[in-house]
Amino acid sequence: METIVNEFMQALLSLDRLAAKRILENTVKKVAPMKFVEEVVAVALERIGAGWQDGTLALSQVYMAGRICENLVDEVLPPGDPDRKDQPKMAICVLSDHHKLGKIIVYSVLRAGGFDLSDYGVMEVDDLFQRIQKEKIEILLISVLMLPSALKIKLLKEKLTASGINIKLIVGGAPFRFDDRLWEAVGADAMCKTASDVISVIKTIMGGKI
Amino acid sequence: MNAVQMTSMQRTLTTLGHREPDRVPFFLLVTLHGAKELGLSINRYFSKPGHVVEGQLRLRAKYRSDCIYNFYYAPLEVEAWGGEVIYSDDGPPNSGEPLIKKFQDIKRLKLPDIGNTPCLEKVLASARMLKEKTKDEVPIIGVVMSPFSLPVMQMGFDRYFDLMVEAPDLFWDLMQINEAFCVNWANAQLKAGATAICYFDPLSSTTITPKDLYLKTGFEIAKRTLARIKGPTATHMASGRCLPVVSDIAKTGTAIIGVSSQENIREMKIACKGKLTVLGNLNGIEMCRWTPAEAEAQVKHILSGAGAGGGFILSDNHGEIPFQVPDEVLMALSEAVHTWGRYPLDWVTDERGI
């Protein structure tokens, strides 16, 4: 599988959708689609994320790789496919900002990893609070670009706590990458330094129930 | 020479010549704190150039910064193109819905007329007033977004990446009109009184764009654009990393590089030696929770890594101090550079390679 992962990763970094698709099609003739997703797609995206974190790869490459994978995985595991993971009810949003890149990448990584989740788009605290309450969301992923938006997560957390709503908050975005204590200060349950961290972070905070 | 007290302008020019002035120049890039000084909301503060002039002069007197920062907010430029700006009570105004919704909208973009665009005219008015009040004692810094980075606000990060891959011809059309605007806007600020232009170009950082793509895009665009700006320029990566491309950035004609707190400041200083003055790299986000003692320790750490020999200006890593940074921390930064930044930096034990 290691050779396949390397070839797949190379195809993603070269933006070669056709080569990536060929690798997928050849591999799923021999293994189940979910095995390909877990052992090739997720591993390749995790390595690309790590490359961004250590400065050897760029955000544009992370973004394009995520989009290519999301589309490919949708072909072999369409939304609602019974082979998709049995998972907690999740949603993702950008808080109080129109910069959506981080959310799009995390969404792609999760979809490419076989997860289903609701995309709330851009939200403000009050509407977000009502929606997650109504839809009984168990894990909320929040992406922010600017510090004031990050600080608003604290307001959301206070509302949730006051209402006795038990939900896990996973946060990410530039302010959290520049201050590794900020996620705790705003009351989040976990923080992702890169989008590809998200799958392992979800598994950790769910105590291995996925 | 360095026993004599220099003006901020002399201090800055000396360090730009890669020589040691009387002390390390301190560029405290505060914008929103001016509103706090004047007791105004952020929206009201930026509504009149006189507010910004008064705010900058008060902030400089208080924190003894070596520059005046005539920067309002990043989406001012998209406002000039007809885009939406969203104000906040506790942070910089942000860009709203992208003005380029479909790639084909690029064909319909109309170059803003600098002299007839109210949001730009405010900046020019404050540049003129600041120049009148400060003469040539302190550098007045004007700001432009690079043509390569502006599309993040014009169309959104994701669509911009898609544009580069899916419609390269339209990408270059956008660069052409953005370059024309950037040059006009920079030169108008210089004419109004700005001493130098800070060219914000985070898209060119290796955090966002791989080196091979940068060399075909952001690098060529910067070379063309900076050559047409009629004054000195500083390139700022707005928190993005750039060590792998810093020797290329030096070839664009810029004099200063603003670097991320995620860079090793010593390695950066060595890489820039004799080519670029390094500006940085205090972590503006962490700064919100620093104590005065931590602020002093951070200043000492950076000065010991990059201060010796000139070619260095102490500043933050992003080009804008967050509104949430307390005054006592800003004061501690100022005290620290005035105490520990006096040349020669006798207290620094290892200056090898800097």
Side-chain angles (χ1 to χ4, degrees):
Chain A
M1 223 37 140
E2 182 61 22
T3 309
I4 298 173
V5 171
N6 286 335
E7 286 172 2
F8 189 71
M9 201 171 136
Q10 216 39 59
L12 296 178
L13 293 176
S14 312
L15 306 184
D16 192 342
R17 289 170 199 261
L18 293 177
K21 190 174 180 184
R22 211 163 37 242
I23 294 167
L24 178 142
E25 286 169 349
N26 289 339
T27 313
V28 297
K29 283 176 191 163
K30 300 170 220 155
V31 302
M34 189 46 104
K35 189 172 168 69
F36 180 81
V37 165
E38 287 181 336
E39 295 184 16
V40 178
V41 177
V43 174
L45 289 177
E46 199 174 317
R47 288 182 192 174
I48 289 171
W52 184 54
Q53 181 64 15
D54 70 23
T56 53
L57 294 174
L59 186 61
S60 56
Q61 293 169 302
V62 178
Y63 166 74
M64 295 307 296
R67 293 307 288 261
I68 293 170
C69 289
E70 182 188 0
N71 292 336
L72 288 179
V73 172
D74 264 353
E75 288 179 23
V76 288
L77 286 175
D81 187 292
D83 281 349
R84 279 190 179 262
K85 291 180 188 295
D86 182 17
Q87 57 190 21
K89 201 164 182 192
M90 295 194 291
I92 188 167
C93 71
V94 182
L95 190 60
S96 202
D97 198 321
H98 285 275
H99 293 94
K100 300 171 189 162
L101 184 71
K103 184 212 69 172
I104 292 169
I105 297 174
V106 174
Y107 184 80
S108 295
V109 167
L110 282 170
R111 300 267 306 118
F115 289 83
D116 272 331
L117 70 164
S118 301
D119 182 356
Y120 285 179
V122 178
M123 299 293 288
E124 293 296 334
V125 169
D126 288 344
D127 291 342
L128 180 59
F129 171 72
Q130 284 175 13
R131 190 160 174 190
I132 54 182
Q133 194 175 22
K134 188 176 160 196
E135 297 180 11
K136 298 187 169 41
I137 297 297
E138 295 166 85
I139 294 181
L140 178 68
L141 301 126
I142 304 175
S143 171
V144 299
L145 179 70
M146 295 170 74
L147 180 61
S149 309
L151 298 175
K152 285 184 182 174
I153 295 169
K154 197 172 180 181
L155 300 177
L156 176 68
K157 178 70 179 185
E158 285 166 3
K159 280 168 102 64
L160 292 165
T161 306
S163 304
I165 296 170
N166 185 20
I167 182 174
K168 301 289 187 192
L169 298 181
I170 302 176
V171 298
F176 299 107
R177 297 186 69 240
F178 281 88
D179 182 354
D180 57 14
R181 288 196 232 159
L182 185 61
W183 66 276
E184 290 173 300
V186 300
D189 295 283
M191 183 267 276
C192 296
K193 281 205 165 183
T194 75
S196 55
D197 289 348
V198 69
I199 293 176
S200 61
V201 167
I202 288 171
K203 285 179 177 169
T204 304
I205 67 168
M206 292 310 290
K209 290 179 202 156
I210 299 173
Chain B
M1 180 68 182
N2 56 15
V4 178
Q5 172 90 9
M6 293 178 165
T7 65
S8 292
M9 184 70 87
Q10 289 168 332
R11 189 171 294 126
T12 304
L13 290 175
T14 304
T15 211
L16 286 174
H18 299 266
R19 288 176 292 121
E20 293 185 350
D22 57 343
R23 71 162 163 76
V24 172
F26 176 47
F27 279 21
L28 186 67
L29 301 180
V30 272
T31 57
L32 308 167
H33 287 76
K36 215 184 273 182
E37 287 295 319
L38 270 61
L40 299 174
S41 69
I42 289 167
N43 191 345
R44 185 143 176 253
Y45 176 69
F46 287 122
S47 68
K48 286 196 165 62
H51 294 160
V52 174
V53 171
E54 184 61 25
Q56 281 295 312
L57 294 176
R58 284 196 203 181
L59 289 167
R60 180 165 183 250
K62 187 169 174 179
Y63 299 115
R64 295 181 288 165
S65 173
D66 286 307
C67 75
I68 295 278
Y69 199 36
N70 191 37
F71 175 50
Y72 282 46
Y73 44 86
L76 178 111
E77 292 191 19
V78 279
E79 190 178 354
W81 290 83
E84 181 190 18
V85 172
I86 299 170
Y87 284 88
S88 147
D89 294 333
D90 58 357
N94 198 359
S95 51
E97 283 289 342
L99 65 111
I100 299 171
K101 293 183 170 33
K102 304 187 298 286
F103 292 167
Q104 288 303 321
D105 292 345
I106 290 167
K107 290 279 189 197
R108 289 187 283 276
L109 286 177
K110 206 166 159 238
L111 192 64
D113 176 358
I114 306 273
N116 285 308
T117 307
C119 63
L120 303 181
E121 182 47 42
K122 280 190 292 190
V123 179
L124 298 178
S126 52
R128 283 189 288 269
M129 286 188 260
L130 286 164
K131 176 73 172 179
E132 176 60 31
K133 285 181 184 291
T134 63
K135 309 297 180 194
D136 289 321
E137 190 269 324
V138 57
I140 298 167
I141 311 299
V143 166
V144 296
M145 298 300 131
S146 86
F148 185 50
S149 295
L150 184 62
V152 171
M153 290 187 288
Q154 290 174 310
M155 62 191 304
F157 245 129
D158 52 318
R159 299 297 289 143
Y160 184 39
F161 287 154
D162 293 340
L163 176 77
M164 282 192 242
V165 175
E166 294 169 20
D169 290 349
L170 284 172
F171 163 76
W172 286 110
D173 287 347
L174 183 58
M175 291 306 104
Q176 192 176 19
I177 191 167
N178 280 358
E179 282 179 37
F181 173 72
C182 183
V183 169
N184 291 347
W185 178 220
N187 286 335
Q189 291 183 70
L190 289 166
K191 195 175 168 195
T195 317
I197 297 295
C198 186
Y199 179 86
F200 273 100
D201 197 13
L203 258 285
S204 287
S205 76
T206 47
T207 301
I208 298 178
T209 301
K211 180 173 178 169
D212 56 347
L213 182 59
Y214 163 69
L215 291 175
K216 291 179 204 153
T217 54
F219 172 67
E220 294 295 336
I221 291 158
K223 264 201 309 188
R224 278 199 302 269
T225 306
L226 298 185
R228 292 162 65 201
I229 293 176
K230 297 171 185 165
T233 54
T235 298
H236 206 302
M237 291 291 139
S239 301
R241 289 190 276 213
C242 65
L243 187 59
V245 292
V246 81
S247 57
D248 303 299
I249 292 171
K251 292 176 196 156
T252 63
T254 197
I256 297 174
I257 181 69
V259 303
S260 172
S261 59
Q262 293 180 333
E263 305 274 22
N264 179 314
I265 197 73
R266 189 185 183 88
E267 283 177 20
M268 184 59 79
K269 180 73 187 300
I270 291 168
C272 291
K273 191 172 183 177
K275 294 183 282 193
L276 289 169
T277 288
V278 173
L279 175 93
N281 68 343
L282 295 158
N283 185 328
I285 299 290
E286 280 188 2
M287 207 183 277
C288 299
R289 60 167 168 79
W290 284 348
T291 63
E294 284 171 319
E296 182 182 27
Q298 292 290 335
V299 169
K300 286 185 73 177
H301 170 72
I302 292 172
L303 295 187
S304 67
F312 178 72
I313 297 170
L314 182 72
S315 190
D316 70 294
N317 71 315
H318 192 72
E320 185 173 42
I321 302 277
F323 191 60
Q324 287 73 14
V325 177
D327 290 5
E328 62 173 5
V329 172
L330 298 181
M331 196 58 85
L333 296 173
S334 173
E335 287 294 332
V337 70
H338 282 82
T339 302
W340 300 103
R342 300 205 70 79
Y343 285 111
L345 304 180
D346 294 332
W347 57 275
V348 177
T349 52
D350 182 7
E351 297 180 2
R352 280 173 300 169
I354 302 176

